[in-house]
Structures are given as C-alpha cells and as structure tokens.
Amino acid sequence: NNNITADAQEQQHQQWVPPRHGWLKCNVDAGFHNDGRITSGGWCIRDETGHFIQAGTYWERGAFSIAEAEALALWKAMQIACNLNMANIIFESDAQVVTGAIQAN
C-alpha cells in the first residue's frame, strides 16, 4: 500500500521543506521549448534530510497546455516511483490546477 499525496507550492516565494520522518518528497515541473513544440519535464526525489534519492527528465514532441504538461510530469514521476516500489511519497508541484484536481478526487 503506497501512500502518495500531491501538494501545490509557489516556488518563487518558498524554499524546499522536507517531508516528515519516514517519507520522501518528489518535486516535479514542466517546461516548453521551440515555441511550444517540445515539452519537457523533470522530477527529483529526496528524503527527509534532503539527500538525493532519484531524479529524471523527459522530452515529448507536441504542443501541450501548461496544465497538461504539468500533469504529464507528475504522472511520469509517479510511474517511476511505482516502478521502483517506493512508498510514502509526497509529490510537490507548482501547478495548483493539477494538484487541486487530484485532491478533489
């Protein structure tokens, strides 16, 4: 039973806050290149002491909305965490529309 949560964070005004003991935190983000024709994303997983655990990036051809790109980055990070059998992970994103949609379900 994996415990997974999603939180929104305004990156410009807050510094990284570690998760509680026994948990990991995965920060995700997305970006656009070549006039929006390529979408990229990445994630970084750290433990409660801030030590690096895992990170990854991806590139996708095609135009996505900001919400779609952020959701794709979150989904890919969740896939990696599940494939690595990681548990007790907080996924953190600055995309409030995406994290709000997840929390509403």
Side-chain angles (χ1 to χ4, degrees), residues 7 13 18 41 57 76 92 98 100:
D7 288 328
H13 302 291
T57 61
K76 287 185 178 281
E92 191 169 74
V98 175

Side-chain angles (χ1 to χ4, degrees), residues 2-58:
N2 290 353
N3 291 314
I4 297 174
T5 64
D7 288 328
Q9 176 182 3
E10 191 174 328
Q11 290 179 329
Q12 300 88 337
H13 302 291
Q14 295 183 8
Q15 66 183 30
W16 187 79
V17 176
R20 66 182 179 263
H21 178 72
W23 284 71
L24 301 172
K25 184 176 278 189
C26 178
N27 294 88
V28 300
D29 204 4
F32 300 94
H33 310 276
N34 291 349
D35 297 325
R37 293 188 306 261
I38 297 176
T39 301
S40 66
W43 58 90
C44 180
I45 302 172
R46 295 181 279 183
D47 66 15
E48 74 264 13
T49 65
H51 285 101
F52 172 84
I53 303 295
Q54 179 83 26
T57 61
Y58 72 90

Side-chain angles (χ1 to χ4, degrees), residues 82-95:
C82 287
N83 290 342
L84 294 173
N85 294 317
M86 294 180 167
N88 298 337
I89 302 176
I90 297 169
F91 289 86
E92 191 169 74
S93 171
D94 61 355

